[in-house]
Amino acid sequence: MRVGHGFDAHRLVEGRPFVLGGVRIPFERGPLGHSDGDALAHALADAILGACALGDLGVHFPDTDPRWKDADSLELLAACAELARGAGYAIGNVDVTVVVQAPRLAPHLAAIRARLAETLRIDPANVSVKAKSSEGMGYTGDGTGIAAYAVALLERSNGA
Ligand code: MG
């Protein structure tokens, strides 16, 4: 078994859709980024790559590459899962914590889990997504940004 950890953060700005875990959530601001800025998807992709010691998202999908401009980060996440499977690993379970003051994420967590499970091709029971505020402190608390932390457990797959 192998464990991987990922972190990501994005600035929240006006004029960008708020996309998290592949789910669009109505909000007046959204993450700035070369791709869609989906911090959850990026942290989770890094956790999966990290478990396989395959570098990070930026190595495989550089933000200097116009191909990934406004990319759907769930496509990048799916590609990272495929890299892990190609390296002989199956994704066991993943756990993600998103830190943002607003919008409230609780009503969207089930949809996010379903989207991630579908993207990773694992059971939703093996996908955990939690949301925290940081009680007004720091960049996640004052509305400046959003952060996500993820861990992923991968297992050597039989015969892979
Ligand atoms: Mg990112």
Side-chain angles (χ1 to χ4, degrees), residues 76-93:
L76 307 185
L77 178 61
C80 291
E82 201 50 51
L83 284 169
R85 283 189 286 269
Y89 293 100
I91 298 166
N93 75 296

Side-chain angles (χ1 to χ4, degrees), residues 8-10 35 37-39 42 57:
D8 195 32
H10 282 264
S35 66
D38 189 333
H42 296 173
L57 199 57

Side-chain angles (χ1 to χ4, degrees), residues 38-148:
D38 189 333
L40 189 166
H42 296 173
L44 186 48
D46 269 5
I48 290 166
L49 292 173
C52 309
L54 282 172
D56 64 21
L57 199 57
V59 169
H60 297 278
F61 306 99
D63 64 8
T64 49
D65 188 329
R67 271 184 300 169
W68 317 123
K69 174 114 176 67
D70 297 321
D72 177 346
S73 293
L74 283 203
E75 286 181 20
L76 307 185
L77 178 61
C80 291
E82 201 50 51
L83 284 169
R85 283 189 286 269
Y89 293 100
I91 298 166
N93 75 296
V94 301
D95 184 24
V96 184
T97 300
V98 178
V99 189
V100 72
Q101 198 70 29
R104 246 188 109 243
L105 300 180
H108 307 285
L109 294 181
I112 292 171
R113 283 180 69 200
R115 285 285 274 143
L116 295 176
E118 177 191 16
T119 301
L120 298 176
R121 291 158 46 193
I122 61 177
D123 195 300
N126 292 326
V127 178
S128 163
V129 180
K130 311 184 299 300
K132 309 289 281 186
S133 83
S134 51
E135 300 193 337
M137 296 181 290
Y139 71 90
T140 53
D142 66 8
T144 309
I146 182 169

